[in-house]
Amino acid sequence: MVYIACIEGSSSGRITWKFDCSLAGLKMKTVSVKASSETFHSGKVTWRIHSNEETTEFLGDNTLHSFQNVSGATDLVLEAILSGGEGDTSWQHAQLFRQSLKEVEESSLEIIITMVDA
């Protein structure tokens, strides 16, 4: 299996993706995100979208989530926060994009941004 987890020995981790379309003279109309995450024991993954000074949480359940509240924004931050777990291997109890190396699976992260002229 392959996945993204915290650094070994860490109690938490964070990864972010930033999209800025201001220099292109565009603004966002809608955003849809499909993300996958898995947890074990007391591990936790929190997915968030930050835009227009609003933060919206959603599940990393491998289904497409649509966000209309980004309308008019020129930038967006997608964030995954990993935490929790138990024992010496707690750092790997919250995982992003877990999948087998032997199986061809669909993408673990999809980001669809619809833009319009600013």
Side-chain angles (χ1 to χ4, degrees):
M1 300 301 278
V2 294
Y3 51 85
I4 294 175
C6 294
I7 295 172
E8 187 172 352
S10 297
S11 61
S12 65
R14 174 185 317 254
I15 185 169
T16 60
W17 295 264
K18 182 172 181 168
F19 302 89
D20 185 345
C21 58
S22 61
L23 294 178
L26 299 170
K27 58 184 177 181
M28 297 175 197
K29 183 176 180 184
T30 62
V31 172
S32 298
V33 177
K34 180 179 87 166
S36 68
S37 53
E38 289 194 41
T39 58
F40 301 91
H41 304 288
S42 62
K44 181 179 179 183
V45 176
T46 304
W47 286 94
R48 294 181 180 151
I49 288 267
H50 304 281
S51 185
N52 285 340
E53 299 184 17
E54 287 187 41
T55 298
T56 305
E57 290 190 5
F58 65 98
L59 298 174
D61 57 1
N62 214 30
T63 61
L64 194 63
H65 298 273
S66 295
F67 304 94
Q68 306 297 322
N69 60 336
V70 301
S71 183
T74 58
D75 67 310
L76 170 96
V77 175
L78 171 62
E79 173 181 50
I81 302 166
L82 298 83
S83 61
E86 299 171 9
D88 292 340
T89 58
S90 62
W91 59 273
Q92 63 181 347
H93 291 170
Q95 303 175 357
L96 305 181
F97 318 134
R98 179 185 172 96
Q99 61 184 320
S100 169
L101 282 173
K102 296 178 182 179
E103 297 178 25
V104 177
E105 298 183 26
E106 59 184 65
S107 63
S108 300
L109 178 64
E110 290 184 28
I111 304 165
I112 303 166
I113 302 174
T114 305
M115 294 186 239
V116 295
D117 289 328

